[in-house]
Amino acid sequence: MQKSYLFTLFFVLIVTGCSYTSPEPIELVRSEQSVDFIADVKPIMDKRCVTCHSCYNSPCQAKLSSFDGIDRGGSKEKVYLAERLFPQEPTRLFIDAKTTQQWREKEFFSLTESTSEEGYHNSIMGHMLYDKNQNPQVVGEYAPEYDELICPKNLEEVSEYRDKHPNHGMPYGFPALNEKEYATIMQWLAQGAQGPSEAQQTKMQTPSSLAGIEIAKWEKFLNSDDAKHQMTARYLYEHYFLGEMHFTRSPDEFFTLIRSSTPPGEKPDEIATLRPYDDPKVEKFYYRFKKIYSTIVHKTHMVVELDDKRLEYIKRLFIDIPWDQEPHIISYKDAKFNANPFLVFAQIPTPSRYRFLLDHSEYIVRTFVRGPSCRGQIALNVIHDHFWVMFQDPEYDIGVIEPEFLLEQADNLRMPIETGSYERIYRVFSDHYRDLYEKYYYAKIKRIEAKFPQGFPFDAIWKGRQKSDAPLLSVYRHFDSASVHKGPVGKLPRTMWVMDYAQFERIYYSLVAGFDVFGNVSHQANVRRYMDFLRLEGETNFLRFMPKHKRTEMFSSWYMGDGIADDVQSGKLKGSNIGDLIIYKTDHSKQEFIERLIDTHFLKEIGLDFDSINYFRMEQAIPELPESYKTEADFLQAIRSLTAPGTGFIRHVVDNGINVIFVKTTLKDGREMLHTLVVNRWHDNVNSMFGEAGRLDSSKDTLDIIKGSIGSYPNLFFVVSEEELPDFFDMLANFKESESYIEKVKKYAISRSDKAFWDYYDWFQKRFYDEEPLHSGLYDLNRYYKKSW
């Protein structure tokens, strides 16, 4: 009897519990009013949907920043799949498929199609919005980039999703759309989810007349037929392809530079290649500017400004000078050869190539950490949480002043990207590229010892040549994202880099031009390993400016518990025979060096200076939290006191996966201020892609408090009034894992379940637009603090 009952129960579960039927169509209030996508729908999508659905990290690859992405739909295929044994077919919107049918053939499914009769709606998007509308509670935890989402591709799977994941409708893990927003989207879906009209689409894709004039000048230059122009255009394209190009005469438009099968004057038709140096496989192609009409999102918004002055400068830099070889066009047929820029562009004088990189230093370094993968994960656990980057002056760069050296070393300068997107698994453990790198490195050291036996002076650091230059950059790692900023932002960092031409070019080609986010695990792991060598090179370039007797000690402090410090001890990496030309007056050589650079070396017009909150000069000490707050000086003292390492608050937020916090402060006079709390995590070393947790030390973590916003992915919002600041400062300075302090955090932090969450988000987003009209874009909320309360 018992066995029969269990069998019956099991049968019932199989039939009823493990199969799903389509959900009932959603009944809608009838409306005769036509809903326009551009005027009515897109503004809502931008504010409430694109914040999570705009790149490869979008859940289900649903990229909603344009109608093209909405129409493409979703996919069950993950882009970020670390264990992928074979390369994945790329799925770049606008590039890898041009029609809806082509996307369906790539197994993307519609989110908006409905089969129900008038007055009802039955699409995936409709049901996901309806589910949130009916079940608006935000409960539990939400981490869309890491949650196991089933990405329902049909209505049966929607039912399964809703049954297994209550309170997981859209927007995912945030409050529902308001009544008007919801009604607008649902009516649009019910009316067929139509996109822009033909006239609207034409307007979106067509450059303005002012931009058209600028485009004509640049396209004429880039498409000149002679070899000198063609190879210059190729060099520019391979470095500009990821940029969002901005013509200063047309401030509201951005463009991408592409290789097109159609000539100037016709509609651009992008040729789909994985890399900018891949064979386009057409007899003739043209460099064209294609207007961006998707919503601008900050994590991929890397601006390159173009104008007549920049064009004339490029002509002087590349065209109006004799080349090292007779100009000739390089074929795209040899894939390995084309992955080596030191061979491909050997005919272009090295000083011109390096000057180009220096002129674009902020943009180029930004592509390292916000490049092809949206979150630059290959570049992240290979760097410290905070460091400053400077550049070798061309007059002191061996690869520039002795250009034959790089050509001699071209074979040793080969990179793992030469094997393409697929590399055999066993090659992950090969030291092939390490051996090549060491041969080049030792050859470089030998040349430097011969040319500069006494060491380098301050003048060996590039000082910049014009106001817009960025001869010093600050890099922040925010665990799984990063940001780049002009000037010395934050407190004195633990490590610094000095990049020379060959290192600059190799990092760019390894992490940007040659990196494939769809590549297999070996491709990505080999790039990560090679980046270790390039980081070391930047650090050891910096060490040559330090006193000779301090180099080993300083380097070893960056690689605690790592055998690589033994290489320093034996003189292999730091170049122990190079002298120390700079005379230091104190024992704090690193800090003295950077302060002298800022105070007396860098071009004054650039305006570089330390920030007034986080940086403490050699004679300054971190102040104590004041006992009372009567003047602005008291508040500044309080803020500066909060940057001490290892506080309970820092440990608390880091333990909860929080690295970036945006803070809104409302003053008594009505002014509103925006700051960012940035956690800098301590790593004993960053010399391995595995076991990162074992190299962390929370007692040494620090906090930087930055004016404005830092990063693309806010992890939490804080809102505080001037009257509450003493209590807020107490929380930051004296936090303990007690109920009272946890309640304080909840008092100021905005939970993802807060009914006013979208109002706060809108404030932060608008402030960003107001403060950074050229470089701002939509924030990404995929990494907002996962818990609700």
Side-chain angles (χ1 to χ4, degrees):
M1 184 71 178
Q2 183 70 16
K3 289 182 180 181
S4 175
Y5 171 77
L6 290 175
F7 177 80
T8 303
L9 179 61
F10 178 73
F11 178 78
V12 170
L13 287 173
I14 290 291
V15 173
T16 63
C18 297
S19 63
Y20 298 89
T21 58
S22 299
E24 290 295 320
I26 305 163
E27 184 175 4
L28 302 175
V29 177
R30 293 179 179 272
S31 173
E32 301 299 326
Q33 183 177 355
S34 178
V35 179
D36 181 81
F37 175 77
I38 297 296
D40 304 319
V41 176
K42 186 168 173 39
I44 301 171
M45 290 278 188
D46 286 350
K47 291 194 302 180
R48 303 294 178 255
C49 307
V50 180
T51 52
C52 289
H53 290 279
S54 61
C55 196
Y56 302 133
N57 63 332
S58 302
C60 310
Q61 292 195 60
K63 189 173 181 180
L64 308 182
S65 51
S66 66
F67 179 76
D68 308 70
I70 296 170
D71 184 62
R72 176 180 74 163
S75 170
K76 288 183 176 292
E77 199 77 45
K78 292 181 179 180
V79 174
Y80 295 117
L81 195 62
E83 64 272 21
R84 184 186 297 129
L85 297 180
F86 297 95
Q88 181 174 309
E89 185 179 4
T91 52
R92 297 164 296 173
L93 186 64
F94 302 114
I95 298 175
D96 296 314
K98 304 291 178 68
T99 67
T100 305
Q101 181 55 36
Q102 289 173 346
W103 285 119
R104 297 295 172 264
E105 291 170 1
K106 293 179 182 292
E107 299 187 351
F108 275 74
F109 47 84
S110 174
L111 301 174
T112 58
E113 288 179 3
S114 174
T115 57
S116 55
E117 68 267 24
E118 185 179 353
Y120 292 83
H121 189 70
N122 215 26
S123 71
I124 293 173
M125 182 182 289
H127 278 288
M128 298 305 285
L129 292 171
Y130 176 76
D131 185 55
K132 173 53 70 77
N133 181 265
Q134 297 298 302
N135 303 283
Q137 298 82 10
V138 178
V139 294
E141 297 184 3
Y142 301 83
E145 286 190 339
Y146 304 102
D147 289 349
E148 286 297 321
L149 305 174
I150 65 169
C151 297
K153 69 177 182 179
N154 54 43
L155 294 179
E156 287 74 18
E157 290 189 358
V158 168
S159 289
E160 178 184 359
Y161 178 88
R162 288 170 58 178
D163 287 351
K164 288 185 175 181
H165 304 282
N167 304 107
H168 278 53
M170 298 297 148
Y172 183 82
F174 292 110
L177 303 182
N178 65 38
E179 185 176 339
K180 182 178 180 182
E181 293 168 339
Y182 176 75
T184 299
I185 299 294
M186 296 302 283
Q187 288 295 339
W188 172 70
L189 290 169
Q191 293 171 11
Q194 298 300 307
S197 67
E198 184 176 346
Q200 289 173 326
Q201 188 68 30
T202 299
K203 182 179 179 180
M204 287 192 302
Q205 292 180 274
T206 304
S208 68
S209 57
L210 286 175
I213 294 171
E214 301 304 308
I215 288 172
K217 296 176 189 175
W218 282 85
E219 289 186 350
K220 180 181 179 181
F221 172 78
L222 294 168
N223 292 298
S224 297
D225 288 333
D226 63 281
K228 186 177 265 193
H229 278 84
Q230 279 295 287
M231 290 307 297
T232 297
R234 176 171 174 175
Y235 187 79
L236 296 179
Y237 169 68
E238 291 189 14
H239 292 81
Y240 277 161
F241 82 102
L242 209 60
E244 301 201 336
M245 321 305 286
H246 172 259
F247 297 103
T248 54
R249 292 183 62 190
S250 181
D252 298 325
E253 297 173 275
F254 294 96
F255 301 83
T256 55
L257 181 61
I258 65 169
R259 294 187 295 186
S260 172
S261 59
T262 55
E266 297 182 18
K267 182 180 177 181
D269 184 16
E270 185 166 3
I271 297 169
T273 60
L274 268 175
R275 298 170 176 85
Y277 54 78
D278 283 347
D279 187 352
K281 297 181 180 178
V282 294
E283 185 175 342
K284 176 73 173 175
F285 69 84
Y286 306 87
Y287 296 106
R288 303 290 309 281
F289 288 90
K290 184 173 71 170
K291 187 175 180 180
I292 299 171
Y293 58 86
S294 297
T295 303
I296 298 295
V297 294
H298 184 247
K299 61 190 172 186
T300 57
H301 188 47
M302 294 166 284
V303 180
V304 176
E305 296 189 69
L306 302 178
D307 55 19
D308 290 346
K309 184 179 178 182
R310 175 62 59 87
L311 182 57
E312 290 305 313
Y313 176 71
I314 285 176
K315 289 178 181 177
R316 293 196 304 272
L317 196 62
F318 291 99
I319 305 299
D320 298 341
I321 59 169
W323 281 16
D324 292 345
Q325 302 171 12
E326 183 67 25
H328 56 283
I329 295 175
I330 299 294
S331 167
Y332 283 100
K333 299 303 180 184
D334 187 337
K336 282 194 174 184
F337 183 89
N338 284 292
N340 190 332
F342 304 102
L343 289 174
V344 174
F345 300 109
Q347 59 190 295
I348 303 177
T350 312
S352 293
R353 287 179 270 158
Y354 190 29
R355 289 287 181 187
F356 175 85
L357 296 182
L358 292 175
D359 288 338
H360 297 77
S361 60
E362 186 173 4
Y363 159 72
I364 296 290
V365 174
R366 189 163 282 151
T367 64
F368 300 169
V369 296
R370 279 165 53 186
S373 59
C374 295
R375 52 178 170 177
Q377 79 281 13
I378 293 298
L380 293 184
N381 75 347
V382 73
I383 59 175
H384 283 281
D385 264 38
H386 180 220
F387 60 97
W388 292 344
V389 178
M390 292 157 283
F391 305 91
Q392 195 87 13
D393 187 88
E395 299 297 324
Y396 292 87
D397 189 329
I398 287 294
V400 176
I401 60 181
E402 298 183 6
E404 72 283 355
F405 171 67
L406 294 183
L407 198 54
E408 293 169 3
Q409 292 293 318
D411 189 62
N412 292 331
L413 289 167
R414 287 158 48 206
M415 296 165 274
I417 60 171
E418 68 179 1
T419 60
S421 301
Y422 173 75
E423 179 60 276
R424 293 175 177 85
I425 297 298
Y426 73 86
R427 291 295 293 270
V428 174
F429 307 101
S430 169
D431 286 333
H432 175 65
Y433 291 104
R434 178 191 175 95
D435 294 342
L436 291 177
Y437 171 82
E438 287 190 346
K439 289 178 183 177
Y440 159 75
Y441 186 85
Y442 298 150
K444 184 179 84 166
I445 292 296
K446 187 176 180 180
R447 289 286 186 107
I448 292 175
E449 288 176 346
K451 188 75 174 179
F452 304 105
Q454 301 304 313
F456 290 124
F458 277 106
D459 283 343
I461 297 292
W462 181 59
K463 65 177 62 179
R465 66 177 185 87
Q466 60 185 356
K467 184 177 180 179
S468 59
D469 285 338
L472 187 148
L473 294 167
S474 299
V475 179
Y476 279 106
R477 177 191 171 190
H478 313 300
F479 180 63
D480 49 9
S481 68
S483 57
V484 178
H485 312 276
K486 182 176 177 178
V489 181
K491 58 179 58 64
L492 182 72
R494 184 175 163 206
T495 63
M496 295 186 190
W497 293 13
V498 173
M499 286 207 285
D500 59 28
Y501 166 66
Q503 182 201 8
F504 209 172
E505 198 81 275
R506 280 175 293 156
I507 296 180
Y508 177 78
Y509 272 84
S510 292
L511 294 182
V512 184
F515 178 71
D516 180 16
V517 69
F518 301 98
N520 79 331
V521 61
S522 297
H523 162 73
Q524 299 195 22
N526 268 314
V527 170
R528 165 60 175 81
R529 285 193 69 198
Y530 194 74
M531 185 59 200
D532 271 328
F533 315 145
L534 297 175
R535 180 198 66 251
L536 285 165
E537 190 169 355
E539 292 168 340
T540 53
N541 285 346
F542 169 75
L543 284 175
R544 291 189 196 101
F545 291 88
M546 296 293 100
K548 193 172 181 179
H549 70 280
K550 286 210 167 197
R551 293 172 188 166
T552 298
E553 176 189 355
M554 189 176 294
F555 195 92
S556 297
S557 72
W558 301 342
Y559 289 91
M560 297 166 58
D562 193 289
I564 199 166
D566 297 336
D567 289 335
V568 182
Q569 193 69 38
S570 63
K572 289 181 180 178
L573 287 172
K574 66 179 173 60
S576 59
N577 292 325
I578 298 170
D580 43 4
L581 191 61
I582 299 173
I583 298 175
Y584 288 95
K585 301 175 182 179
T586 72
D587 288 334
H588 307 288
S589 51
K590 179 175 70 173
Q591 188 162 9
E592 184 179 341
F593 176 75
I594 199 68
E595 289 184 4
R596 287 169 67 179
L597 287 178
I598 294 294
D599 294 341
T600 64
H601 179 71
F602 291 126
L603 193 69
K604 288 298 180 185
E605 297 93 291
I606 298 173
L608 300 184
D609 201 358
F610 302 108
D611 77 66
S612 60
I613 295 175
N614 304 283
Y615 189 83
F616 294 85
R617 287 184 175 265
M618 283 187 287
E619 68 275 10
Q620 294 176 307
I622 298 177
E624 297 289 331
L625 195 69
E627 295 182 0
S628 62
Y629 297 86
K630 297 178 181 179
T631 66
E632 286 190 13
D634 293 332
F635 285 100
L636 179 59
Q637 177 183 333
I639 294 173
R640 285 170 67 79
S641 75
L642 301 173
T643 62
T647 67
F649 175 79
I650 297 174
R651 288 195 297 272
H652 177 73
V653 296
V654 165
D655 288 346
N656 283 279
I658 299 168
N659 295 270
V660 179
I661 301 171
F662 290 176
V663 183
K664 174 188 176 183
T665 306
T666 303
L667 303 180
K668 293 176 182 178
D669 60 10
R671 287 180 296 152
E672 295 172 323
M673 303 172 66
L674 170 60
H675 290 81
T676 305
L677 308 184
V678 182
V679 175
N680 303 312
R681 304 192 70 181
W682 173 280
H683 294 73
D684 286 343
N685 67 78
V686 290
N687 204 41
S688 172
M689 69 181 81
F690 304 112
E692 180 177 19
R695 301 191 299 274
L696 298 173
D697 186 344
S698 62
S699 69
K700 298 177 182 177
D701 292 346
T702 61
L703 188 72
D704 282 347
I705 302 174
I706 312 296
K707 291 181 179 179
S709 64
I710 292 285
S712 307
Y713 299 84
N715 299 143
L716 200 60
F717 297 144
F718 276 164
V719 176
V720 60
S721 67
E722 183 175 347
E723 294 86 347
E724 295 169 323
L725 280 174
D727 183 62
F728 183 70
F729 292 152
D730 172 73
M731 177 192 76
L732 298 180
N734 302 310
F735 181 92
K736 298 178 179 62
E737 290 291 342
S738 64
E739 184 176 345
S740 62
Y741 274 105
I742 290 174
E743 286 304 311
K744 277 192 180 187
V745 173
K746 291 181 179 180
K747 173 184 176 182
Y748 298 113
I750 305 303
S751 170
R752 56 171 56 245
S753 63
D754 193 309
K755 292 181 180 179
F757 176 87
W758 290 119
D759 294 329
Y760 293 119
Y761 167 80
D762 290 342
W763 183 90
F764 285 105
Q765 188 67 66
K766 182 179 184 302
R767 185 62 174 254
F768 189 29
Y769 286 142
D770 291 342
E771 292 185 349
E772 296 282 351
L774 179 61
H775 293 279
S776 59
L778 278 177
Y779 294 125
D780 191 301
L781 292 177
N782 274 301
R783 298 170 198 166
Y784 200 80
Y785 179 50
K786 62 184 180 180
K787 296 181 181 179
S788 59
W789 60 84

